[in-house]
Amino acid sequence: MPSSGDVTIALAGNANVGKSVIFNYLTGADQVVGNWPGKTVDRAEGNFQYNGQKVHVIDLPGIYSFSTFSMEEIVSREYIANEKPDVVINVVDGSVLERNLFFTLQLMEMEVPMVVCVNQMDVAMSKGFQIDTEKLEKALGVPVVPTVAIRGEGLQKLIKKAIISVNDKKIPKTSNEYGGEVEKAVKQLHYFLETEKLDVGYSNRWVAIKLLENDPEINKKVELLSERSVQFANHLALELERIHDEPSFSIIASERYALANRIAAGAQKQSEYKITLSEKLDKILIHPFYGYFTSAMVILGLLIWTFVLGNFISELITNAMSFFQPVDPTLSGPVLAVLWNGAFGGLVAGLTLIVPFVIPFYIMLSYIENSGLLTRVAFMMDSFMQKIGLHGKALIPLILGYGCSVPAIDSTKILETRRERLLAAFAITFAPCSARTIIILSLVAIFVSIWWALALYVLDLLIIFIMGKLALKAMPGESTSLIMEIHSLRLPASSVILKQTWNRTKSLTYLVFPVFIAGSALIQLFYVLGVLEPISNFMAPLTVGWLKLPAFAGILLIVGAVRKEFVLLTLVSFVGTDLSLALTPVQFIVLALIGMLYIPCLSTISILIREFGVKAASAISAANLVTAIVVGGIAAHGLSLFM
């Protein structure tokens, strides 16, 4: 936390306006990404020095209003109201100025010290917009700085203006008013709140507007202090609704957009409109027909990049660490066996997952995400995702699940409700992550055929859809509509991609490595103590009788609960590299199918417990296990008739 002599700057604005680029430029490597206290929303903060003074920066979540429809909106307004940063830098996209000013006006209503950063001026110019920032500054009554953050242009001036604003301690008093009866109602309620001497932590004008919008959180806070104020606000809101014949929150929103339009129209002019390359590409990317093909190509390209490059890097790491060979506990002693085979084996396993598969996946995902391609894919897939109770934005964590379930479940924070996050996490646990992919490729693609391996992927998609429908029936509720910013396509800066990849990989590493090392050591300890074989024999009616697998398959499934590749590694240690000597083609397919579907690995269960609690994590794990047993048994008996 910053000390009393530090300056605190909060970056606020819509999603995809360049806040994160500015944040990374200012803080460099001195940044921390975690969660807001008691919330599941990402909190990014960092520090930098300016003229010998320490500046603390908070990157608030990208939002469009200060409503209470999402956790991001709640934490942003609570931070500004309660923590009271020294200055708020409101970042707006110059190419869609009118739309972004809708949020700027709400910030001004909160009467916080602020500077407006008009970013992406290059994109605005490419669309034929010329923005007079001096006129905009005069209209808003706060400092305005034009920038092109991705190239670092104007950012030094922005910081200078922000620091000057802190020293001036100037609170914006907007002279911009709404029209007619709306402004009259706001002023009446504002005056009433002043006479009641209410203090709920926000400016009284902003509180008056939120009461007229019937904001539930503000209603609760005000009602505790003055029930008369809420009653008067309801009376004024009903009068507005009678005049306009629409809900009061819609009336306020319309007035705010009208005001934003007037301000934007006075500060910008447009020359002959130029169709940008981004708009030309969008005719294909979000076309009602071709868009599905391009979306499929983006997803397929991401997976091919990950697996082809991942397999190549994995081979290099495996060769480099070939000195690691399991030791025989009867020769070396149980303590050395547990430490070497278990703890060090877990470290090697973590490296062979994160370096070859997770890092390349995150690099490409960051490029797709920051370029704007991912939002277009989410838009195209919205109708499909709605069938399992989710919207297109849920496709983003689901795609992440093909790399690793842990960051995928972590990224469900972008969804609006706990129900949607839980449905998405449930679907993610069925997605074949890189570890499960290794099993499919190593068992089926090599020893049966590539076509059977692809068939397992198709079957997995069908299972995700069916289980998603069942989960939707178990958790009925109304799904939210897809609302997300589709910004212009652009080539992201490599520095931003690398920093974003590092932050994601860093948080994953802190969770995965301890679990892998501890879990591997525990499995090795069980092996040394002779616990695994009796358990495997106990499981024989299931593994041998129902699944038609060899007796040692029970041990494979036990060790695979720590990490899925352990199924393959343990199998090789049992029978050697020529696995065809121990398994039939049907057994290869069934073992890969079970490995793909049954309970998530320890690190995935850990994050499920962290995000949703033990009860939800147990239910999801049980659903995975039952599905694997049922589908695996059907496949074992069915394929035996044909193969």
Side-chain angles (χ1 to χ4, degrees), residues 435-436 439 516 519 523 532 553-571 591 594-596 598-603 605:
R436 290 165 167 170
I439 295 176
F516 275 178
I523 289 293
L532 292 181
I555 294 178
L556 302 182
L557 298 182
I558 293 169
V559 299
V562 177
R563 186 189 174 195
K564 292 295 179 278
E565 292 102 315
F566 286 1
V567 171
L568 181 63
L569 296 175
T570 307
L571 179 59
L591 183 58
I594 296 295
M596 181 176 72
Y598 89 115
I599 60 173
C601 65
L602 279 182
S603 53
I605 294 174

Side-chain angles (χ1 to χ4, degrees), residues 34-256:
N35 282 351
W36 291 85
K39 306 291 192 298
T40 56
V41 178
D42 278 345
R43 174 189 180 116
E45 55 185 314
N47 302 288
F48 70 96
Q49 295 286 330
Y50 183 82
N51 290 342
Q53 190 172 26
K54 186 177 180 182
V55 182
H56 189 67
V57 187
I58 293 284
D59 185 11
L60 296 175
I63 57 175
Y64 300 91
S65 72
F66 279 129
S67 66
T68 53
F69 296 130
S70 73
M71 189 61 70
E72 287 86 350
E73 292 168 339
I74 292 172
V75 299
S76 292
R77 84 181 196 186
E78 282 183 354
Y79 176 80
I80 291 173
N82 300 330
E83 301 298 325
K84 301 190 185 320
D86 295 303
V87 63
V88 175
I89 295 180
N90 173 218
V91 186
V92 301
D93 181 351
S95 65
V96 282
L97 185 61
E98 176 189 336
R99 189 163 67 207
N100 281 216
L101 286 178
F102 180 83
F103 179 66
T104 304
L105 292 173
Q106 293 179 74
L107 271 173
M108 295 182 67
E109 288 159 2
M110 291 186 78
E111 296 182 359
V112 295
M114 62 184 287
V115 173
V116 173
C117 165
V118 184
N119 192 32
Q120 301 187 41
M121 290 290 285
D122 54 336
V123 178
M125 289 180 67
S126 70
K127 291 184 176 181
F129 289 114
Q130 293 181 354
I131 300 173
D132 190 329
T133 52
E134 290 184 4
K135 283 186 178 179
L136 185 60
E137 184 171 308
K138 186 176 180 181
L140 294 174
V142 297
V144 175
V145 181
T147 64
V148 181
I150 203 166
R151 298 202 295 259
E153 295 177 12
L155 295 185
Q156 287 298 320
K157 183 179 179 182
L158 176 67
I159 296 307
K160 184 178 179 181
K161 286 268 189 180
I163 300 299
I164 290 173
S165 296
V166 172
N167 296 331
D168 287 349
K169 300 185 183 299
K170 184 180 178 182
I171 302 296
K173 297 286 186 182
T174 179
S175 59
N176 296 297
E177 296 183 347
Y178 298 128
E181 57 281 338
V182 173
E183 183 62 33
K184 181 181 176 183
V186 171
K187 284 182 175 177
Q188 282 182 299
L189 187 52
H190 184 190
Y191 177 74
F192 189 88
L193 296 176
E194 293 283 350
T195 58
E196 290 285 293
K197 297 183 178 174
L198 277 181
D199 182 13
V200 291
Y202 305 94
S203 78
N204 278 337
R205 178 176 171 85
W206 188 83
V207 172
I209 293 170
K210 299 309 285 183
L211 286 173
L212 291 173
E213 288 180 323
N214 197 25
D215 183 287
E217 289 295 318
I218 297 300
N219 274 351
K220 281 183 201 173
K221 288 184 177 182
V222 173
E223 197 166 22
L224 290 173
L225 300 172
S226 169
E227 195 173 336
R228 291 197 318 147
S229 298
V230 175
Q231 291 172 348
F232 186 49
N234 290 339
H235 166 72
L236 293 173
L238 286 172
E239 186 65 20
L240 286 175
E241 289 177 353
R242 185 187 63 78
I243 296 170
H244 291 267
D245 196 25
E246 60 179 315
S248 58
F249 70 85
S250 179
I251 298 168
I252 299 292
S254 297
E255 286 294 325
R256 197 175 277 132

Side-chain angles (χ1 to χ4, degrees), residues 200-393:
V200 291
Y202 305 94
S203 78
N204 278 337
R205 178 176 171 85
W206 188 83
V207 172
I209 293 170
K210 299 309 285 183
L211 286 173
L212 291 173
E213 288 180 323
N214 197 25
D215 183 287
E217 289 295 318
I218 297 300
N219 274 351
K220 281 183 201 173
K221 288 184 177 182
V222 173
E223 197 166 22
L224 290 173
L225 300 172
S226 169
E227 195 173 336
R228 291 197 318 147
S229 298
V230 175
Q231 291 172 348
F232 186 49
N234 290 339
H235 166 72
L236 293 173
L238 286 172
E239 186 65 20
L240 286 175
E241 289 177 353
R242 185 187 63 78
I243 296 170
H244 291 267
D245 196 25
E246 60 179 315
S248 58
F249 70 85
S250 179
I251 298 168
I252 299 292
S254 297
E255 286 294 325
R256 197 175 277 132
Y257 272 120
L259 181 54
N261 179 46
R262 287 199 299 273
I263 295 171
Q268 71 178 9
K269 60 181 180 179
Q270 185 176 12
S271 56
E272 184 180 348
Y273 185 75
K274 304 172 185 176
I275 299 177
T276 63
L277 178 61
S278 174
E279 290 169 322
K280 291 176 182 177
L281 290 173
D282 276 340
K283 290 182 179 179
I284 300 173
L285 294 172
I286 55 177
H287 187 274
F289 180 73
Y290 301 118
Y292 291 105
F293 289 99
T294 56
S295 295
M297 292 301 293
V298 169
I299 297 171
L300 190 61
L302 175 63
L303 298 179
I304 290 174
W305 157 271
T306 302
F307 298 139
V308 171
L309 184 62
N311 284 331
F312 173 72
I313 298 174
S314 182
E315 287 181 10
L316 294 179
I317 293 175
T318 303
N319 293 334
M321 306 193 78
S322 58
F323 63 88
F324 172 72
Q325 296 294 331
V327 299
D328 188 341
T330 59
L331 300 176
S332 62
V335 176
L336 180 60
V338 170
L339 291 175
W340 182 257
N341 295 350
F344 188 71
L347 178 64
V348 172
L351 285 174
T352 52
L353 168 66
I354 290 175
V355 176
F357 293 101
V358 174
I359 292 177
F361 182 84
Y362 278 157
I363 288 173
M364 183 56 69
L365 181 68
S366 293
Y367 266 106
I368 293 172
E369 185 180 8
N370 287 279
S371 66
L373 273 174
L374 197 55
T375 53
R376 286 156 175 83
V377 173
F379 172 77
M380 293 306 303
M381 299 302 293
D382 181 56
S383 58
F384 172 79
M385 298 299 291
Q386 289 284 353
K387 297 183 187 302
I388 56 174
L390 298 167
H391 53 58
K393 200 157 55 170

Side-chain angles (χ1 to χ4, degrees), residues 424-453:
F426 180 71
I428 287 166
T429 59
F430 285 96
C433 63
S434 57
R436 290 165 167 170
T437 294
I438 289 173
I439 295 176
I440 296 170
L441 295 179
S442 300
L443 296 181
V444 180
I446 293 176
F447 292 99
V448 185
S449 79
I450 187 66
W451 302 110
W452 275 106

